Amino acid sequence: MNNPKQIAGEKAAEYIENGMCVGLGTGSTAYFAIQKIGQRVKEEGLQVKCLATSKESEQLAKELNIPIYTFDEIKELDVTIDGADEVDKNYNLIKGGGGALLREKIIAYITKHYIIIADESKVVDTLGKFHLPVEVVQFGWQITFSHLQQLGCIPKLREKNNEVFITDNGNYILDCDFTEIKNPKTLQANIHAVPGVVEVGLFIERVNTLIVGHKDGSIEVKSIK
Ligand code: 5RP
């Protein structure tokens, strides 16, 4: 049986070349890309310098002997491979289902070739069915919550294992149900204007290549810009 996440992740790992600086994404699709890069490091002696978008991916990379660097050592990335929660017809994204949106966005914006990998269920006409993750500081989060509500959504403080979820950066996440996001750019600007917001899980006009894995085992590769 085909795993669409696995075929997309493994396909993306083919884009990595010797000597590249690579951003490693987070989540169950990025997992397969990292595994494949690890395999290439082991079997082909592939040489890469990597930055990870979460502690979890950093740990996985270290277990696979993929060299991890810091922002003191790497200022620009040749390629980043990351997953997404939704991809719309203009290749705008919702990310942050795994809670790593802030690090993912910092890494996305220093990347020359940004590759998004997804299974077919992530492709939508309009963003918004997936609740938009917004990372907020803990201080006064109830006020930030109210301000976000006033933008027309139903926010929910994220929990994990019956405890409030805390990001790798020590913040909270408010998952905001907007039902339909017709203008992601305006919404991003409006959310960023709310005090207490650290980052919003909208990734706009950023994708260079989209790789979608299908249940029938086929792969779609779209070059965007
Ligand atoms: C983590 C993310 C992930 O890329 C996104 O949630 C997709 O995850 P998965 O590949 O497990 O479906 O944005 O913050």
Side-chain angles (χ1 to χ4, degrees):
M1 185 165 148
N2 300 301
N3 180 340
K5 293 187 182 209
Q6 183 167 0
I7 56 178
E10 292 185 351
K11 178 75 187 167
E14 290 175 13
Y15 286 74
I16 310 302
E17 292 170 15
N18 239 351
M20 278 186 166
C21 292
V22 179
L24 303 174
T26 295
S28 56
T29 318
Y31 168 88
F32 290 110
I34 298 171
Q35 286 286 351
K36 193 71 187 175
I37 294 168
Q39 189 185 335
R40 291 190 57 197
V41 167
K42 188 174 172 202
E43 291 174 6
E44 298 169 28
L46 177 74
Q47 298 208 356
V48 280
K49 294 181 175 182
C50 295
L51 281 174
T53 54
S54 62
K55 289 180 183 169
E56 190 185 334
S57 293
E58 182 169 324
Q59 182 58 33
L60 175 63
K62 284 180 176 165
E63 283 165 17
L64 295 165
N65 294 316
I66 299 172
I68 292 292
Y69 286 72
T70 68
F71 286 103
D72 288 332
E73 298 156 313
I74 295 180
K75 302 281 182 254
E76 190 177 55
L77 293 162
D78 297 296
V79 177
T80 289
I81 302 172
D82 205 348
D85 298 301
E86 280 185 349
V87 186
D88 76 6
K89 54 182 184 294
N90 298 314
Y91 309 107
N92 295 320
L93 315 172
I94 286 183
K95 286 184 51 54
L101 65 148
L102 175 58
R103 294 187 184 199
E104 288 173 337
K105 203 176 254 193
I106 291 171
I107 282 184
Y109 279 72
I110 57 161
T111 296
K112 285 191 263 179
H113 185 178
Y114 190 55
I115 302 176
I116 285 295
I117 49 178
D119 64 88
E120 60 191 10
S121 72
K122 306 292 182 63
V123 180
V124 298
D125 276 343
T126 309
L127 300 176
K129 214 169 182 187
F130 191 91
H131 298 175
L132 178 64
V134 178
E135 183 158 347
V136 303
V137 295
Q138 293 194 27
F139 179 85
W141 71 268
Q142 299 90 335
I143 306 299
T144 311
F145 184 105
S146 304
H147 283 124
L148 289 173
Q149 213 168 17
Q150 284 161 28
L151 293 177
C153 69
I154 304 168
K156 190 170 184 294
L157 182 63
R158 186 178 297 187
E159 293 184 0
K160 195 175 175 183
N161 304 328
N162 290 324
E163 285 182 12
V164 178
F165 177 81
I166 298 180
T167 69
D168 283 350
N169 320 296
N171 298 312
Y172 287 166
I173 288 188
L174 299 177
D175 291 302
C176 299
D177 180 6
F178 282 96
T179 313
E180 207 177 29
I181 299 173
K182 290 201 173 117
N183 191 335
K185 218 176 209 173
T186 305
L187 182 63
Q188 177 174 246
N190 290 342
I191 293 176
H192 265 300
V194 174
V197 167
V198 179
E199 196 48 84
V200 49
L202 287 165
F203 287 55
I204 298 169
E205 295 170 3
R206 184 66 275 271
V207 182
N208 301 116
T209 301
L210 172 66
I211 301 177
V212 180
H214 292 268
K215 279 191 241 151
D216 64 7
S218 63
I219 305 178
E220 243 175 297
V221 179
K222 289 196 172 123
S223 298
I224 291 117
K225 57 187 173 185

